[in-house]
Amino acid sequence: MAEIRPELLEELLKDYEKPEDLTGPDGLLRELFGRLIEAAAGAELTEHLGYEQGDPAGRGSGNSRNGRSPKTLVSEHGDVSVDMPRDRNSSFEPQIVEKGQTHWAGFDDKIISMYAGGMTYEEIRTHLGEIYGVEISKDFINRVTDAVLDDVRAWANRPLDACYPVMWIDAIVVKVRVEGVVRNRPAYLVLGLNLEGRKEALALVMGSGDETAKFWLKVLTDLRNRGVRDTCIVCCDMLTGLAEAIEATFSGTWVQCCVVHLIRNSLDYVSYKDRKAVARDLKPIYRASTEDAALDALDGFEHTWGARYPMIAETWRRHWERFIPFLVFPDDIRRIIYTTNSIEAVNRQLRKIVKTRGHFPNEDAALKLLWLALQNAEKKWSYPIKEWQRALHQFAIHFPGRVPLGARG
């Protein structure tokens, strides 16, 4: 990039007295921005025509300059008026500001950033009006943010790694207008732990709330089609048909019932005054050293609480085969596996963003905001989880030939 000469800066700022002279509605930056756009467009037209303005070489060339067309650009400098050059044959397609473009790309980024941060359309309109002195409509903001949907679709179809030793599946509930009625809709997030021990968002899928094995089979088949060939353990809530779909898609994968969900579901049966005691007495079950010790603890729990809350022990026994897989691992590695806390931490961030919305007008509106919030969350996933190398060797022992040790990280 060419260096800006001090003499030029001195000339531009010779009338500068206060910040408004530079950044205000009628300041130098807005005027300079407009003039630079016009100059760049003029240079593009020269390149298109093949000769400089006034050059005799242009005579008889079959095309020539044909005046200018006024245009107003919405930008971070406010509304900027520019005069865009035209050619007589209308074959010139400017790149700096395309035909039909009414707003500057950097301004779009600001809108998308504010939207991703949870600001409503009205809050964005007010903020831009106060800071930049521009008046924009909600439809304008919607068009800008809708451009994100192309990125969402590209992300949802991107290639994935062949092996994720651990996956978690969990949902966040959002309110979406469906056929004129606002309904609760689950947005399912699939999170993977890659061979470097780093979390990676793999899929974000809207559901209807009454998902079946067929729905889950499609979600998991999409992961296979994008390159995933194996996963050792999938931790999830026991949603209808999910475990069966996992085992049908990824042969030999262990389905781990999320212990945190199991505890919460158990406490749903309990009166407020008994909750602390029941939670305390459940702890020996999931903190047991072996499966036999866990079963003894469940028997003891049932002896204490079975008469008052029979459904709790029944629930644990019903999910027992999905509960016990993590017990073969050491304590520090169990924490990686047995809970969807890793994914729930992400969902807490997403909930902070969506709570400002009463509801979304459609599923696409919900998806684009959740995806933007997810992109912000992923920026913090720069380090592998603790004890990852040890965990990776444990997976190699329990899943021989399926975890390529030393391939990454």
Side-chain angles (χ1 to χ4, degrees):
M1 182 179 293
E3 183 180 352
I4 299 176
R5 293 180 290 105
E7 297 83 1
L8 176 59
L9 291 176
E10 290 177 8
E11 174 66 21
L12 290 170
L13 296 173
K14 66 179 181 181
D15 296 323
Y16 175 82
E17 296 179 355
K18 55 187 183 300
E20 288 78 9
D21 294 337
L22 184 65
T23 61
D26 298 315
L28 175 63
L29 280 180
R30 183 162 73 165
E31 181 180 355
L32 186 60
F33 177 76
R35 295 290 297 276
L36 286 172
I37 293 294
E38 292 173 349
E44 288 180 3
L45 179 56
T46 295
E47 178 70 19
H48 176 72
L49 294 175
Y51 62 89
E52 296 284 347
Q53 186 169 4
D55 190 335
R59 295 172 185 171
S61 65
N63 198 5
S64 61
R65 289 170 173 79
N66 189 33
R68 294 176 177 268
S69 297
K71 178 190 287 283
T72 299
L73 283 177
V74 180
S75 78
E76 58 265 50
H77 305 295
D79 291 341
V80 178
S81 298
V82 294
D83 291 324
M84 299 297 291
R86 300 175 309 205
D87 66 325
R88 191 166 297 281
N89 292 348
S90 299
S91 58
F92 174 51
E93 297 285 347
Q95 300 300 306
I96 187 70
V97 175
E98 297 179 359
K99 289 181 178 179
Q101 183 178 336
T102 59
H103 41 100
W104 186 245
F107 195 66
D108 292 2
D109 293 340
K110 291 183 182 295
I111 292 175
I112 291 171
S113 177
M114 288 185 283
Y115 185 73
M119 293 178 69
T120 64
Y121 284 3
E122 186 57 37
E123 289 168 340
I124 293 172
R125 286 184 68 246
T126 302
H127 178 78
L128 294 176
E130 291 174 351
I131 300 300
Y132 301 115
V134 296
E135 291 291 333
I136 58 175
S137 67
K138 292 182 180 179
D139 285 342
F140 177 89
I141 298 172
N142 189 58
R143 288 196 300 273
V144 171
T145 56
D146 269 353
V148 171
L149 289 172
D150 290 337
D151 294 328
V152 175
R153 295 183 185 102
W155 177 85
N157 290 287
R158 77 196 189 285
L160 299 173
D161 292 347
C163 178
Y164 291 88
V166 183
M167 285 187 193
W168 300 274
I169 301 175
D170 199 15
I172 177 175
V173 176
V174 295
K175 295 185 180 298
V176 178
R177 184 173 291 278
V178 181
E179 296 178 351
V181 179
V182 176
R183 303 183 187 277
N184 286 334
R185 285 289 186 261
Y188 295 104
L189 175 60
V190 182
L191 196 67
L193 198 60
N194 64 29
L195 291 172
E196 295 175 344
R198 291 180 171 85
K199 292 184 293 186
E200 184 179 333
L202 307 182
L204 181 63
V205 184
M206 294 298 297
S208 63
D210 56 356
E211 283 67 40
T212 64
K214 184 177 180 181
F215 170 87
W216 290 114
L217 195 60
K218 181 182 184 306
V219 171
L220 297 167
T221 299
D222 284 346
L223 294 179
R224 282 196 68 89
N225 290 340
R226 292 164 58 199
V228 181
R229 290 293 173 263
D230 201 5
T231 180
C232 301
I233 299 174
V234 178
C235 181
C236 56
D237 196 6
M238 290 296 100
L239 300 166
T240 302
L242 176 53
E244 293 79 3
I246 292 169
E247 291 166 342
T249 309
F250 299 107
S251 178
T253 293
W254 295 358
V255 179
Q256 172 66 55
C257 173
C258 173
V259 176
V260 172
H261 278 90
L262 198 53
I263 295 168
R264 288 175 183 167
N265 293 341
S266 299
L267 295 178
D268 285 343
Y269 300 109
V270 179
S271 66
Y272 180 78
K273 66 183 180 65
D274 290 334
R275 283 198 167 197
K276 284 187 178 179
V278 170
R280 179 197 62 216
D281 290 347
L282 285 171
K283 198 172 293 185
I285 305 173
Y286 60 87
R287 289 194 173 176
S289 57
T290 64
E291 179 185 347
D292 288 340
L295 195 54
D296 288 342
L298 178 59
D299 290 338
F301 178 89
E302 190 169 25
H303 178 77
T304 304
W305 296 101
R308 188 177 302 179
Y309 303 114
M311 287 297 296
I312 296 178
E314 182 183 330
T315 298
W316 283 70
R317 292 187 190 281
R318 187 168 65 250
H319 295 303
W320 194 252
E321 292 304 313
R322 307 293 190 195
F323 160 73
I324 60 174
F326 79 106
L327 292 174
V328 303
F329 293 97
D331 286 344
D332 51 354
I333 298 174
R334 289 182 183 187
R335 287 191 290 271
I336 300 171
I337 299 167
Y338 78 83
T339 174
T340 56
N341 276 353
S342 291
I343 201 168
E344 287 188 7
V346 179
N347 281 345
R348 278 195 297 273
Q349 294 177 267
L350 301 187
R351 288 188 187 97
K352 288 180 183 178
I353 300 300
V354 301
K355 71 178 182 181
T356 59
R357 306 295 197 279
H359 67 276
F360 292 94
N362 51 57
E363 289 188 354
D364 277 351
L367 267 179
K368 69 183 179 183
L369 179 58
L370 290 170
W371 181 80
L372 285 167
L374 184 59
Q375 299 306 293
N376 287 337
E378 280 193 310
K379 294 174 183 176
K380 301 176 183 178
W381 303 345
S382 55
Y383 297 101
I385 63 172
K386 293 180 179 179
E387 301 293 338
W388 175 241
Q389 285 301 319
R390 185 162 175 248
L392 199 59
H393 280 82
Q394 286 283 329
F395 289 131
I397 291 170
H398 289 286
F399 302 92
R402 294 171 59 184
V403 178
L405 287 176
R408 296 174 64 183

